[in-house]
Amino acid sequence: MHGQFVIGQAQGPAHTLYSHRIDLKLSSLIKGLAILQISGDISGEVSSICYDSRRCGESSLFVAIPGLRFDGHDYISDAAKRGARYIVHEKDMPAGLDITMIKVEDSRRAMGVLGNIFFRNPSADLCVTGITGTNGKTTVSYLLESIFKAAGFPVGVIGTVNYRFDGKKFPAPVTTPESLDLQEMLRRMVDSGITHAVIEVSSHSLDLKRVADCEFDRRIFTNLSQDHLDYHHTMERYFLTKKTFFEEASDAGGKMIINGDDPWGQRLFEETGKKALTFGIENECDISAENFYLTPEGIKGEIKTHNGNFTISSSIIGRFNLYNILTAAAAAFSLQIPEDRIRAGIENLKKIPGRLEKVSEPGQPAVFIDYAHTEDALKKVLSNLSAFRKGRIITVFGCGGDRDRGKRPLMGEIAATLSDLAIVTSDNPRNEDPLTIIGEIEKGIKGKTGASIKKYLREDLTGSFHEKGYVIVPDRKAAVELAIDVADVPDTVLIAGKGHEKYQITGDRRIFFDDGAVSRKALSMRNEK
């Protein structure tokens, strides 16, 4: 199967870094598997494990996993040609292959077990915090990373923006890597002296059992709102997938950190029946905020715990970020990190890439880029920006192709309701027609606000606009440029959907595109006029 993530340079067979293990015998590696049938010799040694046939080398063990686009079973012959001597598979295969074949019930699950054994159960040597939920995972991961550093702990992070530890950063093809890659990365963290790891745990990774073999010291639930229904189909199934992460937690107090204000969090707390530390603002929770002030410059207030209150000051803005601060503080508090170190960690973090990141300068319209790509995230960001507004709000947004179609009209409704001008554009159309996606967004704009909302043509907007409305500009670069061109200095411009991403996906092509860079150039050109 192609598409394997590999740390560092893609040279030579995969996963040979730890071949100094004392015992790499196949017979030992497969002891934990649910084996249905074995054909061939299992007394040999395994040099590496891979699920991408191109990464196989001499004496590799190839795990054939069915994927969303490719099926590893179709690449068994290629793996054998490259030197693989052992195959773990779940589908019936033709007889006569001169290679050791191990049939299991679930090859994807088997890969996690094998990876954990091969890399010597690295999560057991780390304090691992897993964060799941629709929104906030990345911001919480940055906050926790900053708090751990302030407490003197070497920390590694695996998340949406990148994978990073020991001064190194690696691109993140997906939020949570495949189980084998995850185990390798955790082993590298341990061997480089890392003591604490923070992992963003996506719903896809839970469903695909990527983190099933990790030992988590803390499991965090941020919130739940509509997203990924192209995969999960219903909110109930989406929730139940998240719930599995917490059902695996032990009964020890503080192992789970749950948003006590979120209705899904409340249900999670009730149904798991286990002790948890709750955080929130509106309801009675273990960790809460008091006497807080939200300003365009940041957040100031007090965090209330069972041990008393302590003050915090942060340069990140918005009520939703106060929740993210409480989330990280609750996790750190449960790990007995001193309050002064929690405070220092919060104050040391100045910004998060692509999370309500301001890219404008004084004397310019306030321009923010944000990763908001769900109805709930867009609503929270626009609501918070509205609280600080001095002029009008202009929102640039779109929806991804080949993804949850149900959220498109919902996002259209939110953008049109909370913005003075909504500019509907493209956001990773993938294999869909951008105009079809935009049409589904437009239904939400018209459906809620009524046909009376003004639809501008692009040529109508020369220099400014005077009536609440929306405009369709399929080219994202042109849409960003238009937003900044029509904004007055007191106005706020939100460019939503891509955040930290530096690409646009059209068809099977990934083209370089950076909302921040485009915005800064448009602001610069504006100054020259």
Side-chain angles (χ1 to χ4, degrees), residues 252-398:
K255 291 289 185 180
M256 297 189 295
I257 316 295
I258 294 177
N259 185 343
D261 286 349
D262 185 89
W264 295 101
Q266 294 166 7
R267 178 180 166 186
L268 178 66
F269 181 83
E270 293 169 359
E271 292 185 4
T272 52
K274 297 170 182 173
K275 295 179 181 178
L277 195 68
T278 59
F279 64 89
I281 300 171
E282 299 170 357
N283 297 320
E284 187 69 28
C285 295
D286 299 304
I287 306 293
S288 59
E290 291 187 344
N291 305 318
F292 58 88
Y293 301 92
L294 307 176
T295 73
E297 286 70 46
I299 300 169
K300 294 182 184 297
E302 298 177 8
I303 293 180
K304 179 183 178 181
T305 74
H306 294 315
N307 294 342
N309 292 17
F310 64 97
T311 60
I312 58 101
S313 177
S314 172
S315 59
I316 61 177
I317 67 174
R319 185 181 178 89
F320 64 96
N321 271 326
L322 177 57
Y323 272 98
N324 291 330
I325 288 171
L326 287 174
T327 310
F333 180 78
S334 76
L335 290 168
Q336 300 183 330
I337 293 177
E339 293 171 357
D340 65 325
R341 296 299 85 200
I342 298 175
R343 179 190 301 111
I346 293 169
E347 294 181 352
N348 290 344
L349 182 65
K350 303 305 179 185
K351 66 178 182 178
I352 299 100
R355 274 36 178 203
L356 211 52
E357 181 181 353
K358 193 172 185 180
V359 296
S360 56
E361 302 293 338
Q364 298 175 331
V367 180
F368 296 88
I369 61 172
D370 192 86
Y371 192 53
H373 59 279
T374 68
E375 173 207 4
D376 183 61
L378 188 62
K379 182 178 180 180
K380 286 177 178 176
V381 171
L382 285 172
S383 297
N384 281 278
L385 290 176
S386 294
F388 308 135
R389 66 188 296 169
K390 296 179 180 178
R392 303 165 300 179
I393 291 182
I394 302 166
T395 302
V396 179
F397 79 106

Side-chain angles (χ1 to χ4, degrees), residues 14-320:
H15 311 307
T16 57
L17 182 62
Y18 303 104
S19 59
H20 62 272
R21 285 172 41 91
I22 295 173
D23 185 5
L24 286 172
K25 288 189 177 298
L26 178 64
S27 56
S28 298
L29 286 175
I30 64 175
K31 280 183 178 178
L33 302 185
I35 298 173
L36 300 178
Q37 183 179 349
I38 296 177
S39 173
D41 182 17
I42 63 169
S43 64
E45 293 194 350
V46 175
S47 65
S48 65
I49 303 175
C50 47
Y51 61 90
D52 181 335
S53 62
R54 297 168 297 183
R55 303 292 303 172
C56 289
E58 188 62 32
S59 298
S60 290
L61 187 159
F62 177 68
V63 186
I65 58 173
L68 298 177
R69 296 181 61 194
F70 303 100
D71 188 338
H73 294 81
D74 297 333
Y75 296 88
I76 288 176
S77 295
D78 184 60
K81 288 177 183 177
R82 296 173 186 268
R85 290 177 56 192
Y86 317 105
I87 306 294
V88 170
H89 62 104
E90 64 180 56
K91 296 183 178 179
D92 291 332
M93 302 303 298
L97 291 174
D98 187 21
I99 194 169
T100 299
M101 304 291 290
I102 304 162
K103 186 178 181 182
V104 296
E105 293 181 354
D106 183 343
S107 56
R108 184 178 288 278
R109 183 70 193 87
M111 183 169 70
V113 174
L114 291 167
N116 188 47
I117 296 172
F118 189 83
F119 293 111
R120 309 190 305 284
N121 191 19
S123 59
D125 297 326
L126 295 162
C127 176
V128 183
T129 300
I131 311 164
T132 198
T134 306
N135 299 310
K137 296 187 296 295
T138 296
T139 298
V140 174
S141 73
Y142 271 87
L143 283 162
L144 274 174
E145 178 185 29
S146 186
I147 291 170
F148 287 147
K149 285 181 177 178
F153 299 123
V155 58
V157 179
I158 297 170
T160 305
V161 174
N162 54 38
Y163 310 149
R164 56 192 184 274
F165 62 94
D166 194 30
K168 307 179 186 71
K169 294 181 181 179
F170 309 96
V174 292
T175 295
T176 316
E178 285 286 2
S179 58
L180 187 64
D181 302 321
L182 178 60
Q183 295 296 337
E184 177 182 9
M185 199 177 312
L186 294 175
R187 170 47 55 191
R188 291 194 175 197
M189 286 185 185
V190 172
D191 289 356
S192 63
I194 299 299
T195 61
H196 288 60
V198 181
I199 303 175
E200 291 186 47
V201 181
S202 68
S203 60
H204 290 74
S205 72
L206 289 170
D207 191 57
L208 297 172
K209 308 298 182 184
R210 292 177 182 171
V211 298
D213 297 284
C214 288
E215 296 183 18
F216 287 92
D217 296 87
R218 296 294 180 269
R219 298 168 190 254
I220 296 174
F221 176 83
T222 60
N223 49 63
L224 199 71
S225 60
Q226 182 169 333
D227 198 14
H228 306 305
L229 296 194
D230 56 304
Y231 184 89
H232 298 290
H233 303 297
T234 67
M235 284 297 296
E236 180 68 13
R237 289 176 62 178
Y238 185 24
F239 168 75
L240 293 176
T241 299
K242 296 288 191 184
K243 182 181 172 183
T244 61
F245 185 54
F246 297 89
E247 289 175 326
E248 297 167 355
S250 73
D251 287 320
K255 291 289 185 180
M256 297 189 295
I257 316 295
I258 294 177
N259 185 343
D261 286 349
D262 185 89
W264 295 101
Q266 294 166 7
R267 178 180 166 186
L268 178 66
F269 181 83
E270 293 169 359
E271 292 185 4
T272 52
K274 297 170 182 173
K275 295 179 181 178
L277 195 68
T278 59
F279 64 89
I281 300 171
E282 299 170 357
N283 297 320
E284 187 69 28
C285 295
D286 299 304
I287 306 293
S288 59
E290 291 187 344
N291 305 318
F292 58 88
Y293 301 92
L294 307 176
T295 73
E297 286 70 46
I299 300 169
K300 294 182 184 297
E302 298 177 8
I303 293 180
K304 179 183 178 181
T305 74
H306 294 315
N307 294 342
N309 292 17
F310 64 97
T311 60
I312 58 101
S313 177
S314 172
S315 59
I316 61 177
I317 67 174
R319 185 181 178 89
F320 64 96

